[in-house]
Amino acid sequence: HEIRLQARDGKLVQDRAADEVAGRQHQDGRHHRSGQQKPAARRTLLNVSLTDRERVKNENEVRLAVHTLLEMEGLSGGIGRNVSEIAREFNNSASSARTFEDRIQSRNAIMRLFFGGDRDAARELANLTVQNKARITQLQQMISSTTLDPEVKALMEDQLRIMEKEQERLEQVSKREQEDRGFFGWFG
């Protein structure tokens, strides 16, 4: 996806990819012209569970938020380079979080029944969320301690809220997985 920040009518606007616009149009109730097929990604998402759809949506929002922060390097005063560095670290840890969440989601039902959740993956996921929350706090401190254009500041704060929301979701996934003790877990 390509993300561009543009000034329109004196305001900073985030320009998103065409398929996201199509997704919003679909949600708004506007439908595709007859004979036109839905994009493959949308057809695929219709075949997955609501939980998985929400997960993909959250991950995409976080990717977009991270890339927006990366694109703002030149607009964010003297903190631009630091913001970009932290955003890259966040992006790398998001990939690891996906791996741990995949392990949790794909745990065999029999293993889960007898031995409970994948506590190792849940612990690692919890550690990543702690690190990412620290990164978010660091970004918030940088933003509040620097004089920024109000629109740039508002856009950056919006991206951090999206990133915080995903960390809260991952924290809940980790907590549920650690609490899933299984049949034998109650005896140990």
Side-chain angles (χ1 to χ4, degrees), residues 59-93:
E59 288 173 354
N60 287 338
E61 287 177 353
V62 168
R63 274 189 210 101
L64 183 61
V66 167
H67 288 285
T68 300
L69 289 175
L70 290 170
E71 290 292 322
M72 296 181 78
E73 185 171 355
L75 300 173
S76 51
I79 64 170
R81 185 170 293 166
N82 294 334
V83 168
S84 292
E85 181 181 327
I86 294 170
R88 275 189 281 282
E89 290 171 3
F90 193 97
N91 196 41
N92 293 338
S93 86

Side-chain angles (χ1 to χ4, degrees), residues 88-167:
R88 275 189 281 282
E89 290 171 3
F90 193 97
N91 196 41
N92 293 338
S93 86
S95 298
S96 297
R98 168 87 192 224
T99 302
F100 292 124
E101 190 174 7
D102 285 344
R103 273 183 47 193
I104 289 169
Q105 300 296 332
S106 65
R107 184 144 172 103
N108 180 295
I110 301 295
M111 292 290 288
R112 186 172 294 284
L113 175 68
F114 288 112
F115 300 106
D118 185 338
R119 285 185 201 83
D120 291 335
R123 236 184 329 273
E124 291 296 326
L125 186 59
N127 290 339
L128 283 175
T129 59
V130 168
Q131 292 169 6
N132 283 337
K133 283 184 168 193
R135 288 180 180 109
I136 291 168
T137 300
Q138 192 177 4
L139 287 168
Q140 289 169 330
Q141 290 170 347
M142 278 190 246
I143 291 168
S144 65
S145 67
T146 305
T147 304
L148 295 170
D149 177 90
E151 292 176 16
V152 170
K153 184 175 184 174
L155 185 57
M156 291 175 85
E157 289 170 342
D158 287 345
Q159 306 319 305
L160 293 180
R161 276 191 286 281
I162 291 167
M163 294 160 75
E164 282 178 317
K165 180 181 166 190
E166 176 65 359
Q167 296 315 297

